[in-house]
Amino acid sequence: MPARWRYILAEALVGLRRNLLMTLAVILSVAVSLTLLGASLLLRDQVQLATGQFEDQIQVSIFLCDGRLCPEITPEQRANLQGELEGDPLVELVIFESKQEAYENFKEAFKNDPELVATVTPDTLPASFRVKLINPEEYSIIKARFEAWPGVESIVDQGEVLEEIFSIINVFQQGAIIVAVIQLIAASVLIANTIRVAAFARREQTSIMKLVGASNWYIRLPFVLEGVIAGTIGAAVSWVLLLVAIPRVTSRLTDEIPFTPFIGLEEVIFIAPWLFGAGILIAATSSIVSLRRFLDV
């Protein structure tokens, strides 16, 4: 390493040690804000993954009358309905689910909640046709055609239900991004103040360097490097936290909700450049702006 760069790195490390408490505050502030930002990015990936998975599955449920809310559907009516569904050009796939099959699927889906399973019997859940459409947006056409069909109790578009769930998740995601941005602004202010304190403490040294002809950037670089090092460490801390926490959380969720896909280690690794890039960019920008306004060189 050239002597010039060794000097710059040494001065940056000296500055970090002199302001150790403020440096730790900067690292923690950056780590918290980038952890929130990384979590929001991973939440977006989770929503996209789950949405893609559910779009490939059955979109429409046609529940059949079992005598409780409407006259029980006859075998002939059910066969005619199935024939009409299978012959409809908008329909890609039709699956019949009996009351017993619906009960078994319910027990499997909620096997970790025995109290809820205990409240349901095979007669509680209606039989249904699970229909996959070629174009899920044409659900209204299917509903208009079959909702008055003899033996049909109700028609539910799972896409609408999922859309409501994902819209709520998106609200949380947007909230996390807003909090992360606020935290990043606070971290930027803290970095700027830390660099100002370091520059003030070394004002005599800076004046001497100016007198001997050192360039503006040569004087500024040690201070900028201080901020970049702190920002990089903060980004590393945030990434390690996500790297440890996310796989554990998603692993437990996979056991609890086996029919839903979850993100894993690969997605956490993928966001590393974004976290490090954000940490370095914010630290460098804050340092440069602070020096331009405070260090008159």
Side-chain angles (χ1 to χ4, degrees), residues 37 58 77 169 173 184:
L37 179 62
I58 305 303
Q77 289 173 334
I169 295 176
Q173 179 192 3
L184 286 172

Side-chain angles (χ1 to χ4, degrees), residues 11 18 24 33 65 90 113 150 156 185 188 221 246 249 281:
E11 285 296 307
R18 285 176 178 173
L24 291 175
S33 56
C65 296
L90 303 178
D113 192 348
V156 176
I185 293 173
S188 299
L221 273 178
I246 296 300
V249 172
L281 178 62

Side-chain angles (χ1 to χ4, degrees), residues 86-260:
E86 292 175 346
D88 195 299
L90 303 178
V91 175
E92 179 179 343
L93 178 67
V94 178
I95 299 175
F96 175 71
E97 183 180 75
S98 66
K99 294 173 70 70
Q100 184 62 37
E101 289 172 336
Y103 177 65
E104 296 298 331
N105 291 335
F106 180 85
K107 288 197 301 181
E108 177 63 23
F110 297 97
K111 61 183 178 182
N112 295 314
D113 192 348
E115 294 183 0
L116 177 62
V117 172
T119 63
V120 177
T121 65
D123 293 330
T124 303
L125 303 174
S128 63
F129 283 112
R130 302 302 175 96
V131 180
K132 183 177 181 180
L133 304 180
I134 297 176
N135 182 2
E137 295 180 358
E138 294 177 330
Y139 157 75
S140 58
I141 299 176
I142 294 296
K143 181 177 181 180
R145 180 177 178 185
F146 292 103
E147 65 181 346
W149 195 274
V152 173
E153 180 179 311
S154 62
I155 300 178
V156 176
D157 179 17
Q158 294 179 355
E160 289 184 352
V161 177
L162 293 173
E163 186 176 346
E164 293 180 1
I165 295 174
F166 290 141
S167 64
I168 295 174
I169 295 176
N170 284 331
V171 170
F172 284 105
Q173 179 192 3
Q174 292 169 5
I177 291 177
I178 292 173
V179 174
V181 170
I182 295 173
Q183 288 278 2
L184 286 172
I185 293 173
S188 299
V189 174
L190 187 56
I191 292 171
N193 287 334
T194 301
I195 299 304
R196 286 184 181 183
V197 170
F200 182 79
R202 284 181 274 175
R203 62 190 183 278
E204 292 183 2
Q205 178 183 342
T206 299
S207 299
I208 294 172
M209 292 177 66
K210 182 179 179 182
L211 289 174
V212 298
S215 66
N216 289 345
W217 274 110
Y218 189 69
I219 296 173
R220 290 190 178 109
L221 273 178
F223 301 105
V224 175
L225 190 57
E226 286 183 34
V228 169
I229 291 174
T232 302
I233 296 174
V237 171
S238 69
W239 184 64
V240 170
L241 289 175
L242 293 172
L243 195 65
V244 172
I246 296 300
R248 292 187 178 183
V249 172
T250 55
S251 177
R252 293 188 61 180
L253 289 175
T254 300
D255 295 335
E256 296 287 335
I257 316 174
F259 51 84
T260 301

Side-chain angles (χ1 to χ4, degrees), residues 31-47:
V32 171
S33 56
L34 291 182
T35 299
L36 288 172
L37 179 62
S40 64
L41 293 175
L42 292 172
L43 184 58
R44 179 202 60 189
D45 292 341
Q46 175 60 50
V47 171

